[in-house]
């Protein structure tokens, strides 16, 4: 990646190495590879923190490329769901302590409840109140005991966010962000600035304080969101006109948008996912039976549901690669004069792969009988 790689990979005194992987890779990266580096005796940097996740399953089963079950690669882009929504949901259910499962219904629920109604609602209201009630400028703030209690809750969540990220508990740290916006919505709901702005001078001042505190909380959330949802974070920074120098996360809640600071055009950050849309996606990525093939020949009794062209290509490509690998394995066994029973088992596996490939290509599933054998 860079000709300066030795600054990191041969610098154990100054570098802390974090490895991220699924649990099945732990033996190699915790034992085999570090032992290889030690054996090289060349001052290589060894892993300091090994962060392994459990498995992510799909709906009620498992992801499977060969059967077209699940969303892979650029297929996620083709759904029309923004990348940041995918990032949010996959990190929200990250299998940090036990296996977890991707669910289309849960994706819709988390988008509509946590992002749209909770996080997005709070940030949008905070910015809109500045524009609607105070001409786009952050109003003066006179903090009361209630405001200080709210800020204490936010600060507690911020401290916990830092601690969790230090421990690489990425999923749990994300929940701190959602808790802050939940506290923010409750804070605004209790103080009702949209009503107080219509009252006397004291009420209008109170509305200004609540709005100023809320929009500064939204500014804090923009920074906390950056590693999880970079595009959404950037959008909030643009809408609230947060100065680049203030776009840094500290360990305490500071006022980054002082009285008089002008915000920009505020607009909704998230869109609702509809049930019909989600059901269509669940059906689209639900896969099919391998025996049905991508286009089995007419008259075949094994015809299944027609597969999307992209899934067909993936299946054919995977079966072709597996068949070639198995063919080489069989030839190697024969060259080494392995026992006939072992060869027969591997040949049977090869014939089965050829059969599946033929079905996937829409050809007859019959595979030529090996030389020296006759059909009865």
């Amino acid at each position: 990646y860079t000709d300066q790689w030795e600054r990191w990979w041969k610098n154990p005194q100054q570098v802390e190495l974090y490895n991220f992987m699924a649990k099945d890779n732990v033996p190699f990266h915790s034992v085999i590879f570090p032992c290889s580096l030690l054996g090289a005796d060349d001052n290589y940097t060894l892993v300091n923190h090994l962060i392994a996740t459990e498995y992510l399953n799909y709906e009620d089963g498992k992801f499977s490329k060969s059967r077209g079950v699940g969303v892979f690669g650029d297929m996620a882009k083709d759904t029309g769901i923004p990348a940041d929504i995918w990032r949010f949901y996959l990190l929200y259910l990250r299998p940090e302590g036990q296996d977890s499962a991707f669910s289309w219904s849960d994706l819709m629920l988390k988008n509509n409840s946590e992002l749209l109604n909770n996080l997005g609602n709070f940030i949008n209201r905070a910015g809109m109140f500045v524009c609607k009630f105070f001409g786009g400028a952050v109003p003066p703030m006179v903090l009361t005991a209630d405001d200080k209690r709210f800020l204490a809750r936010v600060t507690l969540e911020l401290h916990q966010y830092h601690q969790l990220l230090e421990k690489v508990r990425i999923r749990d740290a994300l929940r701190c962000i959602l808790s802050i916006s939940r506290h923010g919505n409750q804070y605004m709901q209790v103080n009702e600035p949209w009503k107080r702005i219509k009252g006397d001078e004291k009420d209008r001042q109170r509305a200004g304080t609540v709005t100023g505190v809320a929009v500064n909380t939204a500014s804090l959330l923009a920074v906390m969101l950056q590693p999880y949802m970079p595009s959404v974070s950037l959008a909030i920074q643009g809408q609230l006109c947060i100065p680049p120098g203030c776009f840094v996360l500290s360990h305490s809640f500071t006022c980054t948008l002082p009285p008089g600071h002008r915000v920009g055009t505020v607009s909704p950050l998230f869109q609702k996912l509809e049930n019909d849309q989600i059901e269509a996606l669940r059906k689209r990525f639900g896969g099919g039976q391998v025996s049905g093939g991508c286009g089995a020949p007419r008259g075949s009794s094994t015809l299944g549901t027609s597969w999307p062209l992209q899934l067909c290509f993936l299946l054919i490509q995977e079966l072709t690669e597996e068949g070639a690998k198995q063919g080489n394995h069989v030839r190697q066994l024969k060259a080494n004069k392995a026992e006939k029973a072992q060869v027969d088992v591997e040949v049977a596996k090869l014939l089965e792969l050829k059969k599946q490939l033929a079905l996937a290509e829409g050809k007859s599933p019959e595979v030529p009988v090996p030389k020296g054998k006759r059909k009865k």
Side-chain angles (χ1 to χ4, degrees), residues 317-334:
Q317 185 181 40
E318 186 170 314
L319 289 173
T320 301
E321 291 173 357
E322 289 180 8
K325 184 178 179 180
Q326 184 66 14
N328 289 333
H329 181 52
V330 169
R331 283 190 287 274
Q332 189 65 43
L333 287 174
K334 290 180 176 179

Side-chain angles (χ1 to χ4, degrees), residues 125-136:
R125 283 206 297 178
M128 285 295 293
F129 287 172
V130 174
C131 296
K132 185 176 180 180
F133 301 144
F134 302 98

Side-chain angles (χ1 to χ4, degrees), residues 73-296:
D74 59 357
M75 294 179 187
K77 180 182 178 182
D78 294 339
T79 63
I81 297 174
D84 270 17
I85 307 302
W86 286 108
R87 290 172 62 100
F88 163 80
Y89 184 61
L90 291 173
L91 291 169
Y92 186 93
L93 54 81
R94 187 171 184 263
E96 292 184 354
Q98 61 185 20
D99 291 356
S100 61
F102 173 91
S103 162
W104 286 106
S105 297
D106 192 51
L107 169 63
M108 178 178 69
L109 178 64
K110 295 301 185 294
N111 177 83
N112 295 348
S113 60
E114 293 290 7
L115 292 183
L116 185 65
N117 295 335
N118 176 17
L119 181 66
N121 181 59
F122 171 68
I123 294 172
N124 186 252
R125 283 206 297 178
M128 285 295 293
F129 287 172
V130 174
C131 296
K132 185 176 180 180
F133 301 144
F134 302 98
V138 176
M141 291 164 272
V142 180
L143 300 183
T144 65
D146 286 342
D147 302 321
K148 292 175 181 178
R149 275 192 291 270
F150 168 70
L151 294 177
R153 291 192 189 99
V154 173
T155 301
L156 184 64
E157 294 289 350
L158 177 58
H159 287 168
Q160 191 171 9
Y161 174 89
H162 277 285
Q163 291 170 3
L164 289 168
L165 285 184
E166 286 291 339
K167 296 174 183 176
V168 201
R169 289 170 58 183
I170 299 171
R171 180 193 63 196
D172 294 338
L174 177 58
R175 283 161 167 74
C176 293
I177 298 173
L178 300 173
S179 292
I180 289 175
S181 61
R182 200 170 288 115
H183 287 314
N185 277 313
Q186 185 179 12
Y187 171 71
M188 298 188 81
Q189 206 64 33
V190 168
N191 286 282
E192 299 180 319
W194 56 91
K195 289 184 178 179
R196 291 181 181 274
I197 195 67
K198 301 173 183 177
D200 57 21
E201 181 62 29
K202 184 178 179 181
D203 277 342
R204 288 197 296 273
Q205 184 187 66
R206 183 68 190 141
T209 296
V210 172
T211 300
V213 169
V215 78
N216 270 281
T217 305
S219 178
L220 171 68
L221 288 170
V223 189
M224 295 176 72
L225 271 174
Q226 203 279 332
Y228 292 94
M229 306 178 76
S231 297
V232 170
S233 173
L234 191 62
I236 301 169
Q237 184 181 10
Q239 291 184 19
L240 301 183
C241 300
I242 304 172
C246 297
F247 210 70
V248 178
L249 190 64
S250 67
H251 282 74
S252 58
F253 186 6
T254 56
C255 179
T256 56
L257 308 180
H261 172 87
R262 302 199 67 83
V263 302
T265 302
V266 178
S267 58
L269 297 166
F270 305 105
Q271 291 185 338
K272 185 178 182 180
L273 288 176
E274 301 292 347
N275 191 60
D276 291 347
Q277 177 187 3
I278 290 300
E279 286 303 316
L281 289 170
R282 177 185 283 114
K283 184 176 180 181
R284 175 180 169 187
F285 294 105
Q289 298 299 316
V290 174
S291 60
C294 296

